[in-house]
Amino acid sequence: MKKILLAAAFVLTLGSASAQVSEIVKGKPRFSVGLEAGLPTGDAAEGFGVFLGGSAKVEVPLSGSLYGTGSAGFVNLSYEKDVKDAIDDLPKQNFIPVKVGAKYFFTQNIYGAGELGAVFGTAEGAGTAFAWTPGIGLSYPVSDKNNIDFDIRYESWANDGSLNQIGFRIALKF
């Protein structure tokens, strides 16, 4: 009997959560593909130029204005010209960030987001770093089913020190 009541409560909870999802999403996961850019901060700003890359993200409605997120991408970190000139054979600094998190819409278009995950370096011996990312963004509808999504965030990668950036993403969400 307890299992039946628990199952009924679960179904009712899911039903009420999906009823709260906004008109634009209609209870379905949304996907986006975007361009990434970042400006290094702290010690990283002295030797590195910009972060450039791309990413894919999924948003899954959880309840009302709250969404679960998952993202993966590819990022290249360029060196400052002075560093390139001083060292002949620098390895490419490419990374694959994989993160999960949450996004909360304060209004229909403005949100706050946070993600945690891992960043895998592609160079030999680069290792893996822990990533955490708080940010804010704007998701603006451009058609019935598509949005342009823009976010700005602070991103920190920690592994025997840290590599930090102010990151930007512009994406098409469908």
Side-chain angles (χ1 to χ4, degrees):
M1 184 68 173
K2 286 182 183 179
K3 289 181 182 180
I4 294 172
L5 289 175
L6 186 58
F10 181 72
V11 169
L12 288 174
T13 302
L14 285 178
S16 67
S18 64
Q20 295 173 13
V21 174
S22 71
E23 292 281 327
I24 295 172
V25 176
K26 297 181 183 171
K28 296 180 183 178
R30 303 281 308 265
F31 298 92
S32 65
V33 177
L35 298 173
E36 303 261 351
L39 300 172
T41 62
D43 292 339
E46 294 179 23
F48 295 106
V50 295
F51 292 80
L52 290 175
S55 63
K57 185 178 275 194
V58 62
E59 297 175 15
V60 179
L62 299 176
S63 69
S65 298
L66 181 64
Y67 295 78
T69 63
S71 64
F74 181 84
V75 178
N76 173 269
L77 178 55
S78 66
Y79 294 101
E80 286 287 334
K81 184 175 179 352
D82 297 346
V83 174
K84 283 185 201 175
D85 293 343
I87 302 172
D88 290 333
D89 193 25
L90 286 172
K92 294 217 183 268
Q93 294 295 322
N94 297 319
F95 302 94
I96 300 171
V98 178
K99 300 174 280 190
V100 296
K103 181 183 274 192
Y104 183 81
F105 281 85
F106 302 112
T107 69
Q108 187 172 4
N109 302 95
I110 298 171
Y111 62 84
E115 291 186 309
L116 300 172
V119 179
F120 305 94
T122 62
E124 187 174 328
T128 303
F130 170 74
W132 61 278
T133 307
I136 57 172
L138 173 70
S139 186
Y140 190 78
V142 292
S143 72
D144 289 344
K145 296 182 181 181
N146 298 320
N147 289 32
I148 295 293
D149 197 89
F150 175 77
D151 76 32
I152 183 169
R153 66 193 181 279
Y154 174 81
E155 187 157 343
S156 181
W157 301 348
N159 176 6
D160 222 8
S162 65
L163 186 59
N164 306 318
Q165 67 170 305
I166 300 298
F168 307 91
R169 180 174 191 260
I170 187 163
L172 176 63
K173 185 165 44 173
F174 47 94

